[in-house]
C-alpha cells in the first residue's frame, strides 16, 4: 500500500478537477457529463503543465482504487427485481443487444489488430456500463494500464456522442413513444450518468424507462466479467491454463465485483432506505469522476493521437452497429 503522503498530492489534484467538472457540468455546459469534463481537463493538464513526479503515486492510486469503489457502490443502487419490470421482450432486447455489441467489437478489434485486452475492454465497456465495466474487466484479463486508459477515454467519448445525438435519433425512429425511446437510450449509451443526461433531454418518463434498461445491463456485468476471464484464460499458453478453480474464481471476481454482488443482493432482499441508495449513488459518481480526472492526467495524448485513425474506426464502427442493431431489435421485440 502506498504511503498517504505520496498519494495525497495526486489524489487532491484529481479531486479538485472532479469538483471543477461537477460545477462546469451543473452550471456552464449542462448535460455533457462531469466524467467527460474531468477526463478532458485531466488530459489537457497532464500533457502540458502537470508532469512532475510528485503527482504520479496519487493519480495512479486514484485511477485504480476509485473506479473499483465506484463499481462496488453501484451494487447498492440496483436490485434484481428490476428484471421483472422489463418483461420478456425487454430482457431479450438487452441480451441480444449486448451480444451483438460484444461480438462485433471482438471481430472489429481483431481485424484492426488491437490487443486482446483493448478489444475485450472496448467490448465490455460499450456493452455494459462504460468506465465501471472496464475497471471490472481489466484485472481479470491482465490488461495493460495504457490499454485501459485508451479504452476508458474512447468509450467516454463515444458515450458523449451518443448522449447528445440519441434524443434526436430516438425521436426520428420511435416518434413520441417514451418507452421505446427509453429502451434505445438505456440499451446503448455507455455510462449511467450519460444515460440519465441523454434521457433527461427528452422527458422524465423516458428517463425512468432508460434507467431500467440501463440497470439490466449493469446486472449483466457479472456474467461479462466471468466470460471474458475465461476467454483470456483460453488464449493463454497450455502451462498457464492449469490453475485451480479457486484462483480462476478470484481472478474473475475481484473484491469490488464481489462487493457489487453482495450489495445488490442485500438491496434486493432488504430494500435499502432511499438515503442509503442515493448516498451510494452519489459516492459512486464522485469516485468515477475523480478516477477519470486521474486517468486523464496519466493519459499519453501523443500515443492516443498516434493510434487516432484506428481508434476512430474502432469506436465509430462499434457505435454505428450499436445504434442500428438497437433500433432493429426494438422494432421487432418491443
Amino acid at each position: 500500500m502506498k504511503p498517504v503522503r505520496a498519494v495525497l498530492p495526486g489524489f487532491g489534484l484529481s479531486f479538485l478537477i472532479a469538483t471543477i467538472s461537477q460545477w462546469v457540468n451543473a452550471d456552464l455546459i449542462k448535460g455533457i457529463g462531469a466524467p467527460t469534463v474531468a477526463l478532458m481537463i485531466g488530459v489537457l493538464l497532464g500533457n502540458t503543465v502537470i508532469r512532475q513526479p510528485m503527482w504520479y503515486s496519487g493519480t495512479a492510486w486514484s485511477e485504480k482504487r476509485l473506479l473499483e469503489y465506484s463499481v462496488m457502490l453501484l451494487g447498492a443502487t440496483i436490485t434484481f427485481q428490476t428484471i421483472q419490470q422489463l418483461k420478456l421482450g425487454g430482457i431479450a432486447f438487452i441480451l441480444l443487444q449486448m451480444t451483438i455489441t460484444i461480438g462485433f467489437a471482438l471481430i472489429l478489434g481483431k481485424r484492426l489488430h488491437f490487443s486482446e485486452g483493448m478489444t475485450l475492454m472496448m467490448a465490455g465497456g460499450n456493452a455494459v456500463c462504460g468506465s465501471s465495466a472496464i475497471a471490472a474487466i481489466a484485472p481479470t484479463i491482465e490488461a495493460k494500464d495504457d490499454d485501459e486508459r485508451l479504452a476508458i477515454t474512447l468509450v467516454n467519448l463515444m458515450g458523449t456522442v451518443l448522449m447528445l445525438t440519441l434524443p434526436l435519433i430516438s425521436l426520428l425512429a420511435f416518434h413520441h413513444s417514451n418507452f421505446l425511446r427509453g429502451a434505445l437510450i438505456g440499451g446503448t449509451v455507455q455510462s449511467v450518468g450519460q444515460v440519465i443526461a441523454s434521457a433527461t433531454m427528452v422527458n422524465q418518463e423516458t428517463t425512468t424507462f432508460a434507467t431500467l434498461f440501463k440497470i439490466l445491463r449493469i446486472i449483466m456485468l457479472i456474467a461479462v466479467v466471468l466470460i471474458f476471464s475465461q476467454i483470456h484464460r483460453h488464449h493463454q499458453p497450455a502451462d498457464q491454463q492449469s490453475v485451480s478453480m479457486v484462483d480462476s474464481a478470484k481472478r474473475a471476481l475481484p473484491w469490488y465485483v464481489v462487493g457489487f454482488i453482495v450489495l445488490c443482493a442485500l438491496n434486493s432482499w432488504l430494500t435499502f432506505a432511499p438515503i442509503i441508495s442515493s448516498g451510494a449513488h452519489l459516492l459512486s459518481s464522485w469516485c468515477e469522476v475523480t478516477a477519470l480526472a486521474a486517468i486523464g492526467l496519466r493519459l499519453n495524448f501523443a500515443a492516443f493521437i498516434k493510434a487516432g485513425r484506428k481508434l476512430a474506426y474502432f469506436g465509430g464502427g462499434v457505435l454505428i452497429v450499436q445504434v442500428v442493431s438497437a433500433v432493429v431489435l426494438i422494432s421487432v421485440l418491443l
Side-chain angles (χ1 to χ4, degrees):
M1 186 172 177
K2 296 178 181 178
V4 174
R5 184 179 298 178
V7 168
L8 274 178
F11 166 73
L13 177 61
S14 301
F15 185 75
L16 176 61
I17 293 173
T19 303
I20 294 170
S21 301
Q22 296 280 19
W23 170 70
V24 169
N25 181 59
D27 296 327
L28 293 183
I29 313 176
K30 295 183 179 180
I32 193 171
T36 301
V37 176
L39 183 65
M40 295 298 100
I41 294 176
V43 169
L44 177 62
L45 295 178
N47 286 273
T48 52
V49 296
I50 307 296
R51 292 188 167 187
Q52 299 82 356
M54 65 176 287
W55 309 107
Y56 292 170
S57 292
T59 54
W61 181 88
S62 297
E63 76 165 338
K64 178 177 175 59
R65 291 299 178 195
L66 293 181
L67 269 182
E68 293 174 350
Y69 297 147
S70 177
V71 172
M72 182 186 71
L73 289 167
L74 209 54
T77 68
I78 63 177
T79 68
F80 294 124
Q81 283 88 338
T82 301
I83 298 175
Q84 300 175 2
Q85 300 181 48
L86 297 181
K87 300 182 180 179
L88 190 59
I91 296 170
F93 160 58
I94 289 298
L95 292 179
L96 288 172
Q97 174 70 5
M98 290 180 65
T99 301
I100 292 169
T101 300
I102 290 171
F104 182 77
L106 294 180
I107 293 170
L108 185 58
K110 187 174 182 179
R111 291 289 300 271
L112 292 173
H113 304 292
F114 280 101
S115 67
E116 178 200 63
M118 179 68 176
T119 300
L120 289 172
M121 287 186 291
M122 278 289 291
N126 283 292
V128 188
C129 53
S131 305
S132 298
I134 293 171
I137 292 165
T140 71
I141 61 172
E142 301 172 303
K144 296 178 181 178
D145 290 344
D146 286 346
D147 282 347
E148 184 176 355
R149 291 186 200 112
L150 283 176
I152 287 175
T153 301
L154 184 54
V155 164
N156 271 277
L157 290 175
M158 291 168 64
T160 301
V161 171
L162 287 178
M163 177 187 73
L164 296 173
T165 57
L166 280 186
L168 177 59
I169 293 173
S170 66
L171 176 64
L172 295 175
F174 304 117
H175 307 293
H176 295 286
S177 172
N178 294 326
F179 179 71
L180 299 183
R181 296 180 76 182
L184 179 61
I185 293 170
T188 54
V189 180
Q190 281 73 358
S191 76
V192 176
Q194 289 169 337
V195 166
I196 294 172
S198 183
T200 301
M201 297 180 198
V202 182
N203 56 48
Q204 185 55 49
E205 189 175 358
T206 297
T207 303
T208 300
F209 288 129
T211 303
L212 289 176
F213 280 100
K214 182 61 183 178
I215 287 173
L216 180 53
R217 290 167 66 194
I218 296 171
I219 290 173
M220 296 305 298
L221 173 63
I222 313 304
V224 171
V225 169
L226 288 169
I227 292 169
F228 282 12
S229 175
Q230 290 305 307
I231 292 174
H232 173 68
R233 183 184 171 194
H234 179 72
H235 289 163
Q236 298 305 298
D239 60 336
Q240 294 182 27
Q241 291 187 23
S242 57
V243 297
S244 69
M245 288 296 293
V246 174
D247 289 338
S248 180
K250 285 181 178 178
R251 178 178 293 179
L253 292 175
W255 68 269
Y256 49 93
V257 176
V258 174
F260 173 94
I261 297 171
V262 170
L263 288 175
C264 183
L266 287 173
N267 195 21
S268 302
W269 180 38
L270 301 174
T271 308
F272 292 152
I275 190 172
I276 295 177
S277 294
S278 59
H281 182 267
L282 181 65
L283 284 174
S284 177
S285 298
W286 272 96
C287 285
E288 180 186 10
V289 176
T290 306
L292 285 173
I295 287 168
L297 288 167
R298 296 175 63 82
L299 180 73
N300 185 337
F301 191 64
F304 186 79
I305 292 298
K306 186 178 180 180
R309 181 175 293 182
K310 282 177 61 180
L311 287 173
Y313 289 152
F314 199 2
V318 173
L319 186 150
I320 291 169
V321 168
Q322 270 189 293
V323 174
V324 172
S325 65
V327 170
V328 172
L329 287 172
I330 290 170
S331 301
V332 172
L333 297 173
L334 303 179

